[in-house]
Amino acid sequence: MTQTTTEAEHGYTADKEAYLRRLKRIEGQVRGIARMVEEDKYCIDVLTQVSAVNKALHAVSIGLLEEHIAHCVVGAANESQASGDPRAVNEKVQEASAAISRLLR
Amino acid sequence: MTQTTTEAEHGYTADKEAYLRRLKRIEGQVRGIARMVEEDKYCIDVLTQVSAVNKALHAVSIGLLEEHIAHCVVGAANESQASGDPRAVNEKVQEASAAISRLLR
Amino acid sequence: MTQTTTEAEHGYTADKEAYLRRLKRIEGQVRGIARMVEEDKYCIDVLTQVSAVNKALHAVSIGLLEEHIAHCVVGAANESQASGDPRAVNEKVQEASAAISRLLR
Amino acid sequence: MTQTTTEAEHGYTADKEAYLRRLKRIEGQVRGIARMVEEDKYCIDVLTQVSAVNKALHAVSIGLLEEHIAHCVVGAANESQASGDPRAVNEKVQEASAAISRLLR
């Protein structure tokens, strides 16, 4: 089982390059929406692009959450199991739950 | 750390009565929306009630997800830690992630 | 162009029976979720059903919004056009926008 | 009542600068998220920023939709009223409804 070893190593570290590429693409999509507004494109076409960015961001969120659960929560579960103190895992579960709640708005 | 002992005991079992009360209330809210439609209430007022049901359902979803992570995922993490086989925990993480993805639509 | 003639006649009036059937079905789905909780069904399966209710409610929302726009907003547009006073249509547009905002949360 | 006079003049044209500023800010937020991933920031903190971008995009969507309804739908309503042919307004209402549906996913 993977265990977080340093503060800087998180669940998404292995896929870091993939996340950076996806975020780069999303940044470009947002810039494209600004260009559409600049060029007075039809509002419905602008909205279609906004929906595409929403969708791309959701995919990033799901990926980050899955890796948070798979690494941080599971790592804390093992830590709490070893120490007999459930606080480590409880804290991570609470954090994951709060993050999911913010994403569902 | 709580460990799931039988197939029938899930994370939400402890709060079962609270969940049943909340779902009963949501069922009543949906019935109230039907009554509004029956009585030709103003569409915007109907939509306000639909938003209230959405919100109540989201709160239930977050609760169930949090308990799924706190119990099923953490239980599987301990099991995988003990057995050295990550498949138990990986499966539960995948399930949680897929459920979150369905909730975000 | 349809014009709202009485206070009680809204956009969805023509499809009233269809809305009532859909809401009846949603009410039954919520009752089914309560039954799953009662019988200690697996949390992920409960969440799948919650997602199905979310989806069904979204479909109802979209339908109501579309008919609100097609009838109430358009009716007010014609009224404002005839009277030269934009307040009637502005109010309906604001209401529609606020309702959409609540649905997006 | 405002009437769209040219193809290029949409509802949001009056607020164009405000939309461009908001989109510029969102673009910067997305770049900030990439920087957080680059610097291995904690996944939950990254997710909090993703939620902030979602929220900012929703605000832009609501604004665009409101102006679409206030200008394009209402303009088409007046056109259909004048011509006696409901197709112009029906088309705009359908488009608005489809856009809302995509935003609700």
Side-chain angles (χ1 to χ4, degrees):
Chain A
M1 195 127 310
T2 319
Q3 194 91 21
T4 51
T5 45
T6 72
E7 274 298 291
E9 195 181 305
H10 301 302
Y12 62 77
T13 303
D15 296 322
K16 199 164 135 170
E17 290 310 316
Y19 278 108
L20 290 174
R21 270 196 305 279
R22 287 161 87 177
L23 288 163
K24 201 86 203 157
R25 204 176 317 128
I26 291 170
E27 192 194 322
Q29 285 176 295
V30 175
R31 209 177 308 118
I33 294 171
R35 205 175 315 119
M36 290 176 83
V37 168
E38 183 67 75
E39 297 171 358
D40 297 301
K41 293 291 189 229
Y42 186 42
C43 20
I44 292 293
D45 296 334
V46 179
L47 281 166
T48 300
Q49 287 315 105
V50 173
S51 295
V53 174
N54 282 337
K55 222 177 145 183
L57 277 172
H58 277 149
V60 167
S61 311
I62 297 292
L64 288 171
L65 265 172
E66 180 172 334
E67 297 183 26
H68 176 70
I69 297 171
H71 295 268
C72 306
V73 174
V74 166
N78 295 338
E79 198 190 306
S80 280
Q81 179 80 334
S83 70
D85 181 347
R87 279 176 298 180
V89 68
N90 288 348
E91 194 198 318
K92 292 298 175 194
V93 170
Q94 291 289 332
E95 275 182 355
S97 168
I100 297 166
S101 181
R102 278 193 297 274
L103 287 172
L104 293 182
R105 270 139 298 136
Chain B
M1 195 127 309
T2 318
Q3 195 89 21
T4 50
T5 45
T6 70
E7 275 298 290
E9 196 180 305
H10 301 303
Y12 62 76
T13 303
D15 296 322
K16 199 165 138 171
E17 290 309 316
Y19 278 107
L20 289 174
R21 271 195 304 279
R22 287 160 87 177
L23 288 164
K24 199 86 203 158
R25 203 176 317 128
I26 292 170
E27 192 194 321
Q29 285 177 294
V30 175
R31 209 176 307 120
I33 294 171
R35 206 175 313 119
M36 291 176 84
V37 169
E38 182 67 75
E39 297 170 358
D40 296 300
K41 294 291 188 227
Y42 186 43
C43 19
I44 292 294
D45 296 333
V46 179
L47 280 166
T48 300
Q49 288 314 107
V50 173
S51 295
V53 173
N54 281 337
K55 222 178 146 184
L57 276 171
H58 277 149
V60 166
S61 310
I62 297 293
L64 288 171
L65 265 171
E66 180 172 332
E67 297 183 26
H68 177 70
I69 298 172
H71 295 268
C72 306
V73 174
V74 166
N78 295 338
E79 196 190 311
S80 280
Q81 179 81 334
S83 69
D85 180 348
R87 279 176 298 180
V89 68
N90 288 350
E91 193 198 319
K92 293 297 176 195
V93 169
Q94 292 289 332
E95 274 182 356
S97 170
I100 296 166
S101 181
R102 277 192 299 273
L103 287 172
L104 293 181
R105 267 139 301 135
Chain C
M1 196 129 308
T2 318
Q3 195 88 22
T4 49
T5 46
T6 70
E7 274 298 292
E9 195 180 308
H10 301 302
Y12 62 78
T13 303
D15 297 320
K16 199 164 135 171
E17 289 311 314
Y19 279 108
L20 289 174
R21 270 196 305 278
R22 286 159 88 177
L23 288 164
K24 200 86 203 158
R25 203 176 318 126
I26 291 170
E27 191 194 321
Q29 285 177 294
V30 175
R31 208 176 309 120
I33 294 172
R35 205 174 314 119
M36 289 176 84
V37 168
E38 182 67 74
E39 297 171 358
D40 297 300
K41 294 290 188 228
Y42 185 43
C43 17
I44 292 293
D45 296 334
V46 179
L47 281 166
T48 300
Q49 288 313 107
V50 174
S51 296
V53 173
N54 282 337
K55 222 176 147 187
L57 276 172
H58 277 149
V60 167
S61 311
I62 297 294
L64 288 171
L65 266 171
E66 181 172 332
E67 298 183 24
H68 176 70
I69 297 171
H71 295 268
C72 306
V73 174
V74 166
N78 296 338
E79 196 190 311
S80 281
Q81 180 80 334
S83 69
D85 180 347
R87 279 176 298 180
V89 68
N90 288 348
E91 194 198 319
K92 293 297 176 196
V93 170
Q94 291 289 332
E95 275 183 356
S97 170
I100 297 167
S101 182
R102 278 193 297 273
L103 286 172
L104 293 181
R105 267 139 298 136
Chain D
M1 195 126 311
T2 319
Q3 194 92 21
T4 51
T5 46
T6 71
E7 274 298 291
E9 196 181 305
H10 301 303
Y12 62 78
T13 303
D15 296 320
K16 199 164 135 169
E17 290 310 315
Y19 278 108
L20 289 174
R21 273 196 303 280
R22 287 161 87 177
L23 288 164
K24 201 87 203 156
R25 204 177 316 128
I26 291 170
E27 192 193 321
Q29 286 177 293
V30 174
R31 209 177 308 118
I33 294 171
R35 206 175 314 118
M36 290 177 84
V37 167
E38 182 67 77
E39 297 171 359
D40 297 300
K41 293 291 189 228
Y42 186 42
C43 20
I44 292 294
D45 296 335
V46 179
L47 280 166
T48 300
Q49 288 314 107
V50 173
S51 296
V53 173
N54 282 337
K55 221 177 147 183
L57 276 172
H58 277 149
V60 167
S61 311
I62 297 293
L64 289 171
L65 265 171
E66 180 171 334
E67 298 183 25
H68 176 70
I69 297 171
H71 296 268
C72 306
V73 174
V74 166
N78 296 338
E79 197 190 307
S80 281
Q81 180 80 336
S83 69
D85 180 347
R87 279 176 298 180
V89 68
N90 288 349
E91 194 197 318
K92 292 298 176 196
V93 170
Q94 292 289 332
E95 275 183 355
S97 169
I100 297 167
S101 182
R102 278 193 297 273
L103 286 171
L104 293 181
R105 271 140 295 140

